[in-house]
């Protein structure tokens, strides 16, 4: 499909077998956020996903693994860039081959990686991701601690964060110090600079000390965000078991006075949206899922790319619905291939799919 990571005739995940030598390390970062375009800055984790070469098996049964870049905030940054937008990533990896490989992949995908830092004492995080028969995932993480957890406030690229039209983050960076303090400081810098704050909790329960700690940590910054995207499962978890399809539950327990937009993703069924003025649902498009890794991140990148260039979307329901359908298609196209970053779509691919979807409805 369109939008593959390419270098010469090497495509997709295969590109990830190339690791730069010492000469690459001197010029590994770039500050090339596209000029005159609204900037989306993504903060958080960047890691290596190891994905089984066959689907429907446990980690123990997998005959082999392919490595792929991962980490929700980094996926969103690449997704925005792939769609023609301007994006940057702020976070920390290890001073190791995987860390430099990840920095280089961001650079190749036109993501400004000048906010990346390299830790000499902790390794780049690893995650083994099992693809079950239905395309859903199970995770095993190796981060004891990993470099992303060791980002300090003093290491933040504050000038880059101040340029953000939208500052996007998850909750994994809230689990441990010093990264938690760096996360809160970055949010504060962005907010004071006039950025919209975008939050996708991206619940990964095995990484938290307990479910209670996860719920408390995720909700601790809830009321500061302008845009929040959650899944059905995350609503059930955050509300203590309430019905994720009940609009009253969503509005009473999750909507807050400062929120401009709350989006609930429903996988292949599409999404629901809630603003102060209106609410509704936008159906998804049907595809055959191969790997759901990165689908939510692709959705977020599609939505944020639209919002970055049209910040008044919240006030016009038709324009918002169009943007959410675009985001739904971004997510749908991503699940048709393995790996998150290699399968993130281009704007052309999304528009082609939208045209086919529109034609099929006539």
């Amino acid at each position: 499909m369109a939008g593959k990571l390419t270098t010469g005739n090497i495509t997709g995940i295969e590109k990830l077998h190339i690791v730069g030598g010492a000469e690459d390390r001197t010029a590994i970062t770039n500050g090339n956020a596209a000029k005159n375009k609204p900037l989306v800055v993504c903060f958080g984790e960047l890691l290596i996903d190891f994905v089984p070469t066959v689907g429907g098996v446990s980690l123990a049964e997998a005959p082999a693994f392919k490595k792929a870049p991962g980490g929700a905030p980094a996926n969103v940054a690449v997704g925005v860039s792939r769609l023609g937008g301007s994006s940057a990533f702020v976070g920390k990896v290890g001073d190791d081959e995987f860390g430099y490989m990840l920095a280089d992949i961001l650079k190749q995908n036109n993501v400004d990686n000048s906010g990346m830092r390299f830790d000499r004492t902790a390794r780049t995080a690893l995650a083994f991701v099992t693809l079950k028969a239905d395309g859903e995932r199970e995770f095993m993480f190796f981060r004891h601690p990993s470099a992303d957890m060791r980002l300090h406030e003093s290491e933040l690229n504050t000038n880059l964060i101040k340029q953000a039209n939208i500052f996007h983050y998850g909750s994994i960076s809230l689990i441990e110090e010093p990264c938690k303090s760096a996360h809160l400081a970055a949010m504060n810098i962005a907010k004071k600079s006039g950025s919209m704050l975008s939050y996708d909790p991206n619940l990964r329960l095995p990484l938290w000390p307990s479910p209670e700690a996860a719920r408390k940590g995720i909700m601790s910054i809830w009321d500061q965000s302008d845009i929040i995207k959650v899944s059905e499962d995350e609503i059930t978890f955050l509300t203590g078991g309430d019905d994720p399809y009940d609009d009253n539950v969503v509005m009473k327990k999750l909507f807050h006075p400062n929120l401009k937009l709350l989006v609930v993703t429903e996988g292949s069924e599409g999404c629901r949206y809630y603003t102060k003025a209106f609410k509704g649902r936008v159906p998804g498009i049907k595809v055959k899922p191969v790997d759901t890794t990165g689908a939510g991140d692709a959705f977020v990148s599609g939505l944020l790319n639209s919002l970055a260039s049209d910040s008044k979307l919240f006030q016009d329901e038709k324009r918002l619905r169009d943007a959410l359908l675009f985001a739904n298609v971004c997510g749908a196209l991503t699940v048709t291939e393995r790996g998150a970053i290699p399968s993130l779509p281009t704007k052309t691919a999304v528009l082609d799919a939208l045209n086919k979807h529109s034609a099929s409805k006539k």
Side-chain angles (χ1 to χ4, degrees):
M1 71 182 275
K4 283 297 173 197
L5 183 69
T6 60
T7 297
N9 53 9
I10 300 170
T11 62
I13 294 177
E14 292 173 326
K15 166 68 189 80
L16 307 176
H17 293 288
I18 295 178
V19 179
E23 68 277 9
D24 297 322
R25 298 189 177 188
T26 58
I28 203 79
T29 60
N30 66 326
N32 301 337
K35 303 302 180 188
N36 304 320
K37 284 188 179 181
L39 179 64
V40 178
V41 176
C42 301
F43 176 95
E45 66 279 3
L46 175 56
L47 56 130
I48 300 288
D49 284 336
F50 284 92
V51 184
T53 52
V54 297
V57 297
S58 69
L59 290 176
E61 294 167 338
F65 296 88
K66 279 192 173 181
K67 61 182 183 294
N75 292 343
V76 172
V78 173
V80 169
S81 177
R82 198 68 64 78
L83 292 168
S86 178
S87 66
F89 176 77
V90 175
K92 201 171 194 183
V93 292
D95 183 14
D96 53 42
E97 294 294 342
F98 283 155
Y100 288 102
M101 183 189 83
L102 290 169
D104 199 31
I105 286 168
L106 292 186
K107 184 179 179 182
Q108 290 164 11
N109 281 276
N110 298 312
V111 175
D112 184 331
N113 64 6
S114 60
M116 285 186 70
R117 301 294 180 259
F118 301 84
D119 195 289
R120 293 180 178 274
T121 59
R123 295 293 191 193
T124 301
L126 308 179
F128 285 80
V129 186
T130 311
L131 307 178
K132 297 186 292 185
D134 60 0
E136 285 299 324
R137 301 155 294 161
E138 292 176 347
F139 294 89
M140 181 188 294
F141 295 96
F142 288 78
R143 51 200 306 271
H144 308 290
S146 54
D148 59 288
M149 301 158 66
R150 294 172 58 90
L151 180 68
H152 290 261
E153 181 179 345
S154 61
E155 296 176 300
L156 292 174
N157 184 335
T158 56
N159 288 333
L160 179 63
I161 295 168
K162 286 176 181 178
Q163 295 174 43
N165 290 72
I166 299 175
F167 183 72
H168 176 73
Y169 47 87
S171 69
I172 290 173
S173 44
L174 296 170
I175 298 174
E176 298 270 358
E177 293 289 3
C179 188
K180 179 181 178 180
S181 292
H183 179 144
L184 297 176
M187 282 177 60
N188 190 44
I189 292 165
K191 193 74 170 179
K192 286 183 175 178
S193 301
S195 307
M196 274 194 293
L197 300 188
S198 166
Y199 187 21
D200 176 3
N202 196 38
L203 176 66
R204 294 290 178 262
L205 207 48
L207 296 179
W208 291 87
S210 68
E212 295 73 23
R215 199 173 288 112
K216 183 178 179 182
I218 288 170
M219 297 305 294
S220 68
I221 59 170
W222 197 265
D223 62 356
Q224 297 179 54
S225 305
D226 299 296
I227 310 153
I228 297 177
K229 171 254 170 192
V230 286
S231 68
E232 305 153 288
D233 291 343
E234 286 166 343
I235 292 177
T236 302
F237 174 77
L238 293 171
T239 60
D242 287 352
D243 181 1
Y245 302 101
D246 187 335
D247 287 345
N248 290 326
V249 167
V250 174
M251 292 303 291
K252 288 180 180 177
K253 294 198 173 183
L254 298 180
F255 204 89
H256 64 75
N258 299 321
L259 198 54
K260 293 182 172 70
L261 176 65
L262 175 64
V263 179
V264 180
T265 52
E266 301 179 342
S268 62
E269 297 302 313
C271 66
R272 305 197 308 274
Y273 58 90
Y274 303 84
T275 73
K276 291 185 179 75
F278 42 75
K279 63 186 178 183
R281 186 173 175 278
V282 178
I285 66 167
K286 301 299 180 185
V287 294
K288 185 176 180 181
V290 174
D291 174 11
T292 59
T293 305
D297 304 328
F299 175 93
V300 171
S301 65
L303 178 58
L304 296 187
N305 191 55
S306 297
L307 282 168
S309 56
D310 184 3
S311 61
K312 305 296 185 184
L313 268 180
F314 312 110
Q315 299 165 21
D316 185 322
E317 189 168 12
K318 184 186 183 304
R319 289 192 350 243
L320 177 60
R321 289 181 63 87
D322 288 345
L324 289 170
L325 178 58
F326 184 93
N328 281 344
V329 174
C330 289
L333 291 179
T334 300
V335 307
T336 61
E337 308 250 351
R338 289 190 191 275
I341 284 179
S343 57
L344 291 166
T346 61
K347 188 171 186 177
T348 300
V350 178
L351 293 176
D352 286 348
L354 276 169
N355 288 336
K356 289 176 184 175
H357 176 66
S358 297
S360 69
K361 294 178 71 176
K362 291 179 180 177

